[in-house]
Amino acid sequence: MRTRLFPVVIYTALLAGCGNIQGQLDNEKISSLRYDTVECNALIAQRNKAAAEVSQLTNGQGYQDPDVITGFGPILPDYRAENQKRAGALQGQVESMNRSIGRRKCGESA
């Protein structure tokens, strides 16, 4: 019984090490602290530029994380198109910038 499962275990381990989708999705979520040293006006401009690029890459539909069946993320390869991968990375930056802007209350009048 164990001998028959050995190839499946090896194949699964190989897939898990080859750019799995869950690892890529996790890498798209970044800390907003990196943007806290950027001046508010510059940060808002950066955020707007990145959000416009996400919109362009997704044909105006906005980025949506792919539906990954629970538990299979570590063994599934990243099957997204290059535009979706780029949009996901940019969306992670936009969300981080939004958190920094909100925390520092950028754009609010005193």
Side-chain angles (χ1 to χ4, degrees):
M1 177 75 172
R2 291 182 186 178
T3 316
R4 290 188 307 178
L5 293 178
F6 186 71
V8 173
V9 171
I10 295 297
Y11 181 70
T12 303
L14 289 173
L15 280 179
C18 296
N20 64 60
I21 192 165
Q22 192 60 52
Q24 296 301 320
L25 292 174
D26 290 346
N27 287 339
E28 292 172 1
K29 311 300 184 225
I30 57 176
S31 172
S32 61
L33 296 176
R34 69 180 0 176
Y35 297 108
D36 285 355
T37 58
V38 179
E39 183 183 332
C40 283
N41 291 336
L43 184 59
I44 291 171
Q46 273 185 301
R47 189 258 333 254
N48 292 343
K49 181 180 176 189
E53 193 171 344
V54 168
S55 181
Q56 180 183 17
L57 288 169
T58 61
N59 296 322
Q61 296 177 1
Y63 178 75
Q64 301 254 335
D65 278 335
D67 292 329
V68 179
I69 300 170
T70 304
F72 286 98
I75 60 172
L76 288 176
D78 192 351
Y79 54 81
R80 300 176 293 168
E82 284 302 315
N83 278 357
Q84 287 296 317
K85 290 178 186 179
R86 179 75 180 129
L90 285 169
Q91 185 64 35
Q93 291 175 3
V94 168
E95 291 169 1
S96 292
M97 289 181 213
N98 282 339
R99 288 192 303 272
S100 178
I101 289 168
R103 183 175 52 255
R104 297 182 322 169
K105 297 181 171 69
C106 292
E108 292 183 10
S109 58

